Amino acid sequence: MAAPAMQQTSTQEESPDLEKNGHAERAQWVLNAPEPPGLWSELLDSVRDKILPCGNNFMSLKNESGRKHLVSFLQGVFPILVWCQSYTVTKFKNDLLAGLTIASLCIPQSIGYATLAKLDPQYGLYTSVVPPLIYAVMGTSREIAIGPVAVVSLLLPSMIEKLQDPGADPIAYRKLVLTATFFAGIFQATFGLFRLGFLVDFLSHAAIVGFVAGAAIVIGLQQLKGLLGISHFTNKTDVISVVEAVWRSVHHHWSPLNFILGCSFLSFILITRFVGKRKKRLFWLSAIAPLLSVILSTLIVFLTRADKHGIKIVKHIQGGFNPSSVHQLQLNGPYVGQVAKIGLIVGVVALTEAIAVGRSFSSLRGYHLDGNKEMFAMGFMNIIGSFTSCYVATGSFSRTAVNFSAGVETLVSNIVMAITVLVSLQLFTRLLFYTPIAILASIILSALPGLIDLHAAYNIWKIDKLDFLTCIAAFFGVLFVSVEIGLLVAIGISFAKIILISIRPGTEALGQLPGTDMFCDINQYPMAAKTPGVVIIRIKSALLCFANASIIKERIMQWVTEEAEDTKGNVRRTNNQLVVLDMSSLMDIDTSGIATLQELQKNITSRGMELAIANPRWQVIHKLRLANFVSQIGGRVFLTVGEAVNANLDTKRAGSI
């Protein structure tokens, strides 16, 4: 019996040494981590991942044939080469039906949105031909329907007409719109190529809800010009200017016939939409209602010659294929800098809407949408679009919803839609001569209720008041100032919130949860027990930098002082020996942050205590090693807070022996 007892005693004596060696070895894992990738390396990896499906494994293809290299490259740029291999006749039937359905909605909407953008009607149809075809071979969303949308169609003229009045010189105005489209495409493609999608995320969900709702009301008020048959209308977009213009016109020159005709067909479209929502099988009825409205109203005006009695009509729509517009781009003009800025703003808004729409429907079908590939595809299609008389195109929520309800399988539905619109341009534009402008206004008005999401606004208010401030600021900025000011205010508040959250000088004292190895905030978990002789503090900020380093140091010293003294300021009997900084939440640190840590270390040492750090992130520990901070704290770097505490207990045991 003596031998086993002696063996057990020997094992217990060896156990602390083994554990100590394990702690030391794991600390070396942290200290000897490889150097993190630099900025240039990350950019190269990003481009490689964007263009090639195999990403970083591209070097492994060196042993493969040149043909496989080419196939891999082409499949990365043109996803259609991947999914077309499994395409079937059944899928084509579904896509054909979906494509024809959204084409019936797209044709009248495109004409209406072109007039909203203050362009000739055919430019809306042009935008529904080339961009959908380009996206079909480069995009990754299966359900999205590409073409002109209301918000972009309002945003472009609201900014460009400050440079060129579309009424005074429509040709010069059109050239600036095409140039802005070119720059929008350049910025979008750049965002996708270099994985700069986070820039688009500065336009948060709350900002989008407020911005789109405000834009919807402004668009609705703008359509009163067509609905009332007003000839002279304000170019301003704020609600006060628009209401004043309507009030003046109502007392002088407006057409009751336009109003009656427009409201009649607006009611028809809204009723069919209500029926389509109540009975899912009749979804097609709401989809074709706008086209039916155009056909019926055109026939009514033609047969009754109502244009002679005050009904305003579209008149001539130029037909044929998209003409080249390369020579119209103003890349050396006097406004190129301002147009580039407009292109950036419009490009970001268009990307935000498209990605939001694409992700909404991809989540319903359970597949992943590559945001960076989407940006690249959107950018390339708008660049080509600017060469072929198209203005900025993006994903339309209303047409995408119809596309989804129609049972779309792939992007072939966009090809079908584009071909249908192209056939209409070739054969049917002359038939639209007598189409009433009031009908185009009613079609746009019918699409606006879906842009005002009161339920989302209520949820934002309920969950996050700061987000609701962003939402309200965007809404009122668009409504009472201008579209671009509302957008910039929303982005500014979102950006300020990101900075506030990132550098918020947060610290919290940690204690150990009973029966576990976890260390948590003692305020959130009152049952967490403090460790005698150890002060454990977590830095909650993602970035320790010049903006928050001093405040964080003061808060840490405040925690240390509070632990060392009682409420009356007397020194406690408990002798704190170690301060552990949990850096698990700290993503990065700058030179100001390192200098502050060095000052903190000196202050703690002057109090007879030692400083240790636990779980530092890759970039953080790399910079601390370069600054020689690790040696300054005696190499006290640990993988976890628990190991830092155990190491302190081992030191106590060793000192007591």
Side-chain angles (χ1 to χ4, degrees):
M1 294 295 291
M6 290 176 63
Q7 184 177 0
Q8 184 176 1
T9 303
S10 176
T11 302
Q12 290 175 348
E13 291 174 353
E14 291 176 2
S15 178
D17 294 333
L18 290 173
E19 189 174 352
K20 185 176 180 180
N21 291 335
H23 292 166
E25 181 182 356
R26 287 190 287 275
Q28 290 303 312
W29 295 350
V30 180
L31 293 172
N32 296 329
E35 185 175 340
L39 178 61
W40 181 246
S41 173
E42 290 181 352
L43 286 176
L44 289 178
D45 287 344
S46 141
V47 173
R48 185 161 53 240
D49 289 343
K50 172 69 196 71
I51 296 178
L52 300 170
C54 52
N56 289 327
N57 296 325
F58 176 67
M59 299 303 293
S60 66
L61 294 176
K62 282 188 173 180
N63 298 327
E64 302 292 341
S65 65
R67 182 175 178 274
K68 289 187 177 180
H69 280 192
L70 179 61
V71 170
S72 178
F73 175 80
L74 292 176
Q75 287 180 342
V77 177
F78 305 109
I80 191 174
L81 298 177
V82 178
W83 57 259
C84 73
Q85 298 176 22
S86 59
Y87 199 66
T88 62
V89 175
T90 303
K91 287 183 178 180
F92 176 72
K93 290 179 180 178
N94 293 333
D95 288 337
L96 179 63
L97 175 62
L100 293 174
T101 304
I102 58 174
S104 66
L105 177 61
C106 172
I107 292 171
Q109 278 192 350
S110 298
I111 296 173
Y113 291 151
T115 58
L116 179 61
K118 300 188 178 178
L119 295 168
D120 293 333
Q122 64 267 19
Y123 287 93
L125 296 173
Y126 293 157
T127 307
S128 298
V129 175
V130 173
L133 291 175
I134 299 296
Y135 183 84
V137 299
M138 298 186 69
T140 57
S141 172
R142 302 170 195 166
E143 298 83 17
I144 198 167
I146 299 296
V149 297
V151 174
V152 171
S153 299
L154 172 69
L155 192 57
L156 273 170
S158 70
M159 292 186 287
I160 293 180
E161 66 186 5
K162 295 177 181 177
L163 307 178
Q164 181 63 61
D165 185 359
D169 193 346
I171 296 177
Y173 171 78
R174 183 173 67 242
K175 289 179 179 179
L176 293 182
V177 170
L178 294 173
T179 307
T181 300
F182 173 78
F183 281 116
I186 291 292
F187 284 119
Q188 289 173 334
T190 302
F191 291 161
L193 189 63
F194 293 103
R195 294 188 176 275
L196 300 176
F198 67 90
L199 295 174
V200 176
D201 292 334
F202 281 131
L203 196 59
S204 64
H205 171 67
I208 293 170
V209 170
F211 171 75
V212 171
I217 294 175
V218 170
I219 291 169
L221 292 173
Q222 289 279 343
Q223 296 316 299
L224 293 177
K225 175 186 177 182
L227 199 64
L228 298 174
I230 300 171
S231 300
H232 303 288
F233 206 67
T234 179
N235 288 328
K236 297 180 180 179
T237 58
D238 64 282
V239 65
I240 295 175
S241 299
V242 174
V243 169
E244 284 180 352
V246 172
W247 182 256
R248 286 194 303 267
S249 299
V250 166
H251 284 75
H252 295 87
H253 306 290
W254 69 288
S255 171
L257 289 178
N258 273 279
F259 182 73
I260 294 171
L261 185 66
C263 288
S264 299
F265 281 98
L266 175 60
S267 302
F268 168 68
I269 294 171
L270 294 177
I271 290 170
T272 57
R273 183 170 299 167
F274 175 76
V275 172
K277 286 183 178 180
R278 292 292 298 271
K279 297 183 178 180
K280 299 298 182 183
R281 293 182 180 180
L282 297 178
F283 73 91
W284 54 269
L285 187 60
S286 61
I288 66 170
L291 184 60
L292 283 176
S293 299
V294 169
I295 295 171
L296 292 175
S297 63
T298 303
L299 283 173
I300 290 171
V301 172
F302 175 73
L303 294 175
T304 62
R305 302 300 297 175
D307 57 307
K308 303 293 185 181
H309 302 283
I311 295 289
K312 294 186 178 297
I313 58 175
V314 173
K315 297 183 180 179
H316 177 67
I317 298 179
Q318 184 178 333
F321 294 106
N322 291 40
S324 173
S325 57
V326 176
H327 61 284
Q328 298 188 50
L329 299 182
Q330 303 291 297
L331 301 180
N332 295 318
Y335 302 121
V336 63
Q338 293 163 287
V339 173
K341 190 190 303 180
I342 293 171
L344 173 61
I345 295 172
V346 174
V348 169
V349 172
L351 274 181
T352 303
E353 182 170 356
I355 292 175
V357 170
R359 285 177 176 167
S360 297
F361 288 93
S362 66
S363 63
L364 294 176
R365 291 196 170 176
Y367 70 91
H368 174 69
L369 192 70
D370 190 328
N372 289 294
K373 283 190 175 181
E374 285 294 288
M375 293 179 194
F376 186 74
M378 293 279 175
F380 194 76
M381 82 177 186
N382 278 317
I383 292 171
I384 300 300
S386 69
F387 297 158
T388 53
S389 300
C390 306
Y391 71 97
V392 179
T394 188
S396 164
F397 186 85
S398 60
R399 294 194 293 274
T400 301
V402 171
N403 203 22
F404 180 81
S405 300
V408 64
E409 296 280 353
T410 67
L411 284 167
V412 170
S413 65
N414 272 270
I415 298 175
V416 173
M417 178 193 73
I419 293 173
T420 306
V421 175
L422 186 60
V423 170
S424 301
L425 272 167
Q426 289 283 15
L427 303 177
F428 304 126
T429 52
R430 292 182 181 178
L431 303 178
L432 298 175
F433 184 92
Y434 289 100
T435 300
I437 292 177
I439 295 304
L440 302 181
S442 67
I443 290 171
I444 294 175
L445 285 169
S446 69
L448 299 182
L451 299 179
I452 302 174
D453 195 341
L454 295 176
H455 179 70
Y458 173 72
N459 281 336
I460 292 169
W461 162 259
K462 186 170 63 174
I463 296 170
D464 191 328
K465 300 300 187 289
L466 189 57
D467 256 4
F468 186 73
L469 175 63
T470 305
C471 178
I472 287 297
F475 177 77
F476 286 115
V478 171
L479 212 57
F480 291 103
V481 186
S482 66
V483 175
E484 63 269 27
I485 292 298
L487 182 62
L488 291 175
V489 167
I491 293 176
I493 294 177
S494 298
F495 188 69
K497 182 183 176 184
I498 291 171
I499 295 176
L500 181 64
I501 293 174
S502 299
I503 68 173
R504 180 186 295 168
T507 57
E508 58 190 18
L510 306 184
Q512 187 173 10
L513 291 179
T516 72
D517 295 328
M518 297 178 61
F519 289 81
C520 301
D521 182 7
I522 58 174
N523 292 321
Q524 183 179 359
Y525 299 95
M527 71 290 299
K530 295 181 180 179
T531 304
V534 181
V535 180
I536 308 168
I537 300 171
R538 177 185 292 148
I539 299 175
K540 295 193 294 183
S541 302
L543 177 63
L544 185 61
C545 63
F546 65 92
N548 63 0
S550 296
I551 301 176
I552 288 178
K553 186 194 77 169
E554 291 174 4
R555 291 192 178 183
I556 291 173
M557 290 307 302
Q558 184 179 356
W559 280 112
V560 173
T561 303
E562 288 176 356
E563 289 296 319
E565 299 176 352
D566 59 21
T567 55
K568 297 181 179 180
N570 300 319
V571 178
R572 290 176 176 171
R573 293 182 180 180
T574 303
N575 185 20
N576 290 321
Q577 298 173 339
L578 183 68
V579 176
V580 180
L581 295 184
D582 180 1
M583 294 187 169
S584 57
S585 300
L586 190 63
M587 296 293 107
D588 207 348
I589 188 171
D590 68 359
T591 53
S592 297
I594 294 173
T596 301
L597 287 181
Q598 290 170 338
E599 292 176 15
L600 179 67
Q601 193 266 338
K602 291 177 183 177
N603 292 341
I604 290 175
T605 302
S606 67
R607 290 172 174 261
M609 304 170 68
E610 295 177 339
L611 178 66
I613 58 177
N615 196 14
R617 298 295 181 174
W618 199 2
Q619 291 284 354
V620 174
I621 191 60
H622 175 66
K623 291 181 179 180
L624 293 180
R625 284 166 51 197
L626 292 177
N628 203 31
F629 180 74
V630 173
S631 62
Q632 292 175 19
I633 61 173
R636 286 182 292 276
V637 179
F638 300 94
L639 189 61
T640 65
V641 172
E643 292 194 352
V645 172
N646 291 335
N648 183 62
L649 294 176
D650 292 341
T651 303
K652 281 185 176 181
R653 291 195 195 102
S656 62
I657 294 176

